[in-house]
Amino acid sequence: MLRTVVVDVAEPSSCVEAMGEVGRMTGGGVWAVVNNAGVPQAGSLEDVSDEQARHLLEVNLLGAMRICRLALPQMRRRGEGRIVNVSSGLGRVPWPLGGWYSASKHALSELTHCLRVGSHPLQPPPCPRRPAGAALRLREGPRLLPRRR
């Protein structure tokens, strides 16, 4: 049976509470995590405020890593587990008005690779996923793909 817990990954206390809830629901802790939280922030680097950049990094990068740090000990106790961090193809190929978004997704992919090396003997190791080809509208910014008619 699939069970979910709502969490605000930008709030450390929400993450701790959510992982505790998972532990109670499962009687031993999490065995799978899909870090899919993300926010866009279109704009040139000079137009994005520190506050906007911090929020984007908190959600897209730090929140995912926070969940990983909370999940890994539970997975090690179980002797198994799976972490999937959803990144973006834009982390490899940045776009002109998405520097902060691209930077956050690139960093998420690289930290996930570090987790792969450092999470032994967790099998299978954490893996990044970079979906590409999704038509997204980033705060009224440019379209990644034209809308099909």
Side-chain angles (χ1 to χ4, degrees):
M1 171 182 8
L2 177 65
R3 292 175 275 179
T4 61
V5 174
V6 176
V7 60
D8 178 356
V9 297
E11 288 295 327
S13 61
S14 177
C15 295
V16 171
E17 289 171 19
M19 295 306 280
E21 173 83 9
V22 169
R24 288 186 292 281
M25 288 169 61
T26 62
V30 65
W31 60 267
V33 170
V34 177
N35 276 314
N36 193 38
V39 294
Q41 180 58 66
S44 67
L45 292 177
E46 64 187 306
D47 292 332
V48 175
S49 70
D50 287 354
E51 182 180 335
Q52 291 169 314
R54 278 189 195 97
H55 179 69
L56 177 133
L57 292 171
E58 188 68 46
V59 173
N60 293 3
L61 177 62
L62 299 174
M65 290 298 106
R66 185 176 297 118
I67 293 294
C68 289
R69 284 194 311 270
L70 293 167
L72 283 168
Q74 296 177 20
M75 291 177 176
R76 283 201 177 93
R77 280 193 298 275
R78 283 184 178 270
E80 63 181 341
R82 181 70 164 171
I83 296 173
V84 176
N85 288 325
V86 179
S87 183
S88 171
L90 293 173
R92 289 192 174 221
V93 183
W95 54 289
L97 295 176
W100 284 106
Y101 179 82
S102 294
S104 71
K105 292 303 186 173
H106 181 78
L108 179 61
S109 293
E110 296 309 309
L111 286 174
T112 301
H113 287 298
C114 291
L115 276 174
R116 288 178 66 84
V117 174
S119 65
H120 184 73
L122 189 62
Q123 296 295 329
C127 66
R129 290 292 171 240
R130 293 181 195 91
L136 300 174
R137 187 171 201 155
L138 299 177
R139 294 203 183 198
E140 305 301 316
R143 280 196 187 281
L144 301 179
L145 294 176
R147 188 179 286 168
R148 290 188 183 182
R149 297 184 191 242

